Each structure stands twice: as structure tokens, then as C-alpha cells.
Amino acid sequence: MAYEVRGVIARGKGQAVSVESVLVPDPGPGEAVVTVQACGVCHTDLHYREGGINDDFPFLLGHEAAGVVEAVGEGVTGLAPGDYVILNWRAVCGQCRACLRGRPWYCFDTHNATQKMTLGDGTELSPALGIGAFADKTLVAAGQCTKVDPAASPAVAGLLGCGVMAGLGAAINTGGVTRGDSVAVIGCGGVGGAAVLGASLAGAAKIIAVDIDDRKLEWARGFGATHTVNSRTTDPVEAIRELTGGVGADVVIEAVGRPETYQQAFYARDLAGTVVLVGVPTPDMTLELPLLDVFGRGGALKSSWYGDCLPSRDFPMLIDLYLQGRLDLGGFVTETIPLDQVEQAFTKMHHGEVLRSVVVF
């Protein structure tokens, strides 16, 4: 018997979202139904609404969520009703060439639910990132559920489902930041702020936050930035070089996703340093760099997709650090809102007024 719930629907490109009735089927083999307790409002959801991901409208938005397992389907092991979980969109298959080489964070065949959630008239919905968590309940692949300590608030825990994990992982997993490193983060919204926090957690000696908004720079200081640069008034490459003895940072994390800020990151790193791109570009963007500079500067140019995380490894560990008071995940929650205020949250996010609005059910 299907569950009838409320869900936030994007019906067409650029159209305001609406709260509508959604039918969630009982879980089939390998699937789970999760009662959503909280879901963050992420830029990716706005990209879906604007048609920036694909045009498979209508979308059931929301993906950065935590909740409790309601029911599981046939063949599901290690997960049971009542389990407290963070939802993830990298449910690794265990069988693709990346998984078999011991690199499951690059899995090329991640799992989603097979069945479709629908509107009341039977119209099939496309769940954002295979999750669709701006809803009272959602249907996912069982592998998209990662069990964590239920002592963690859902409004905080769910943030690991996307943006905060992307930033933390860009520093810790992709960038390999370690004790004594110098790190620069360009773009200090939710993802960039998390990259600052990750660099601090990893023991970086100098963390330089770069943004055009002084409010975001102040937030970055709260997450561990030792220096800030307003790139609206100051050349960030020169500032980063000056703060690192003229050589550039060991790791530069670009959390904007634009060609001009990537070029800044490229030239702001030390010769053998690492650039990590975690900001998401749009399909029309291109990058032009002198190939001789790419060759002559050495080091590494990396992209970070979901912070190169392995949810089963990273989520429980990070939640434990949060509960120990060693990881300020709560600092990302600017406000909590009801389900019918997602559209207003998009506006606040677009204007840089919040790090995260979080829907609480």
C-alpha cells in the first residue's frame, strides 16, 4: 500500500516550486522507505529547478537529509525499520571497475530505487540525486541509507548528505590536507566553509579564506580560517602569495566553479601544490590555461565529486567528531523552516543570506 505524503515539486524550468501530494510505494527488493526528519536546502536543488541538471521534469526536490527507516524491501540486510540514517547519493555497487580496484568513492554504477514515486494522477517523478527528500517520506535504494548515532540532530546530520561533506572531503580526502599545510579556499559559502573546517580539522597551519562577501569571510573565521581576503578589493593571488612567503599555498580549494576563480586557484598554489575543484561549473563554461604553465608548475589538478567520500566510512566518523564537540557542523545551520518555505529559502541562498536553510518535519 502506497504512502501519501507531501513533497516539494519543480514542474518546469524556472517555475516556483509547490507542495503537492506524492505517492510513495512500498519498498521493493533492495529498497527502503525513510521517514524524513530534516533536509537541507542545497544549491543543487536550485540547479534542478532551473533545468541546470537535466530536463526530466517534474522533479521531487531535496537530497541533503536524515531520518528514520520506515520499511525495507526483500533482500535488504544490515538495515531495519527504526534505524537512524543519513541519505547519500553514492550507494556504491561493489562490482564496477572502481569498486573492484578498491576505490569505491569513484563507483561508476551507484544504486537508486527502481520503483518510481508519483503524483496523485500517476505522473512519475524524478527524485533529486535519486533521493527526493523534501517529502515526509521517500523511497531510496537501501545502500543510500547510512546508519549513524541517533544522538545527532537530524537538522545537523543531514548536511553530511551533500554540501558539507563535499567541502570537508575536498580538504581531507581529495586535497590530502595534513598537519602544517597552508590552504586557501576560494568561495566561502556552505561548501567552501566546510572546506575551511576540514582543513582546520586536518591540522593546517594557515587557512586563507577568499570571498567577495565579508559576511561569508566572517563565517569562515568561525570555521577556522586564520586569514581572510576580500577578492572584490584585493587581488587574491597576490594576497595568498604574500601570506605564504611568496610561494603560494600547498592546497588551494576552488569552491565557486567558475573559470576565473579556477585560474586564481591555479596561480595561487605552490609549484608542487594541489588545486581541488569542488565548485560545480555549468555546461557552457570553458577553461583556458597556457599548457606550458600546466606543465611547468607540476603538482596536481584534481576535481572532487561529493568530497571523494565513502558514506559508510565517513558519515559515522564525522558524526562522532560532531558529538564529541570537535566538528562544528551546527555552525552551518542558519535557520530551520517548514516544508512550504523552500521557495523563499532558494531566494535567501541565491542572495548569500544563509549558509543553510534546513527543512524540519
Side-chain angles (χ1 to χ4, degrees):
M1 180 177 175
Y3 306 87
E4 185 172 355
V5 302
R6 303 167 303 152
V8 174
I9 306 300
R11 283 188 170 268
K13 184 176 180 178
Q15 295 181 20
V17 301
S18 55
V19 178
E20 303 187 32
S21 179
V22 172
L23 298 180
V24 180
D26 285 325
E31 296 176 340
V33 169
V34 175
T35 298
V36 181
Q37 294 181 321
C39 184
V41 181
C42 176
H43 272 92
T44 303
D45 292 304
L46 184 56
H47 288 325
Y48 272 106
R49 194 200 74 175
E50 295 302 304
I53 306 293
N54 57 54
D55 59 357
D56 294 336
F57 292 96
F59 292 110
L60 174 58
L61 299 182
H63 59 280
E64 201 176 70
V68 174
V69 175
E70 175 83 15
V72 298
E74 181 184 347
V76 173
T77 60
L79 189 69
D83 285 342
Y84 180 60
V85 297
I86 298 173
L87 299 182
N88 73 78
W89 48 272
R90 297 286 287 162
V92 301
C93 72
Q95 298 297 319
C96 72
R97 61 189 185 280
C99 289
L100 293 176
R101 293 179 68 190
R103 301 173 182 174
W105 48 89
Y106 293 137
C107 178
F108 300 118
D109 191 24
T110 56
H111 294 162
N112 292 319
T114 302
Q115 299 182 90
K116 290 290 188 179
M117 294 178 279
T118 67
L119 296 174
D121 63 3
T123 301
E124 292 187 349
L125 295 169
S126 300
L129 290 176
I131 294 177
F134 284 148
D136 300 294
K137 300 182 191 296
T138 191
L139 176 74
V140 294
Q144 292 180 277
C145 300
T146 303
K147 292 190 288 187
V148 296
D149 192 325
S153 160
V156 172
L159 299 184
L160 290 178
C162 190
V164 171
M165 185 67 250
L168 288 169
I172 298 171
N173 295 333
T174 316
V177 176
T178 191
R179 295 183 302 275
D181 278 351
S182 58
V183 178
V185 179
I186 299 177
C188 294
V191 173
V196 169
L197 182 60
S200 178
L201 180 68
K206 188 170 291 184
I207 305 171
I208 305 162
V210 179
D211 204 285
I212 60 173
D213 186 337
D214 285 331
R215 175 175 42 192
K216 292 182 180 178
L217 293 174
E218 189 59 33
W219 289 337
R221 280 198 179 275
F223 292 127
T226 59
H227 300 78
T228 59
V229 176
N230 188 317
S231 55
R232 190 185 296 277
T233 57
T234 304
D235 182 330
V237 175
E238 292 303 317
I240 292 168
R241 287 186 172 280
E242 183 177 345
L243 289 167
T244 55
V247 299
D250 296 311
V251 180
V252 184
I253 298 167
E254 199 278 272
V256 181
R258 295 191 60 85
E260 55 269 36
T261 44
Y262 188 89
Q263 287 181 347
Q264 291 170 353
F266 180 80
Y267 288 109
R269 66 172 179 143
D270 198 354
L271 285 176
T274 299
V275 174
V276 176
L277 174 64
V278 66
V280 182
T282 57
D284 59 303
M285 291 179 179
T286 60
L287 177 67
E288 186 172 328
L289 285 170
L291 191 57
L292 184 60
D293 285 358
V294 176
F295 173 77
R297 295 181 65 82
L301 306 177
K302 297 183 175 183
S303 58
S304 184
W305 207 45
Y306 208 3
D308 287 346
C309 82
L310 186 59
S312 60
R313 174 195 66 194
D314 294 341
F315 289 4
M317 176 267 292
L318 293 169
I319 288 296
D320 285 348
L321 290 175
Y322 161 71
L323 291 173
Q324 293 165 18
R326 297 166 61 192
L327 190 67
D328 183 21
L329 296 178
F332 292 94
V333 181
T334 307
E335 62 173 2
T336 57
I337 60 173
L339 188 65
D340 61 3
Q341 290 185 15
V342 169
E343 184 65 33
Q344 295 93 314
F346 281 151
T347 301
K348 293 177 185 177
M349 181 176 62
H350 180 69
H351 291 132
E353 298 174 16
V354 295
L355 278 176
R356 270 298 183 273
S357 301
V358 180
V359 174
V360 175
F361 293 82

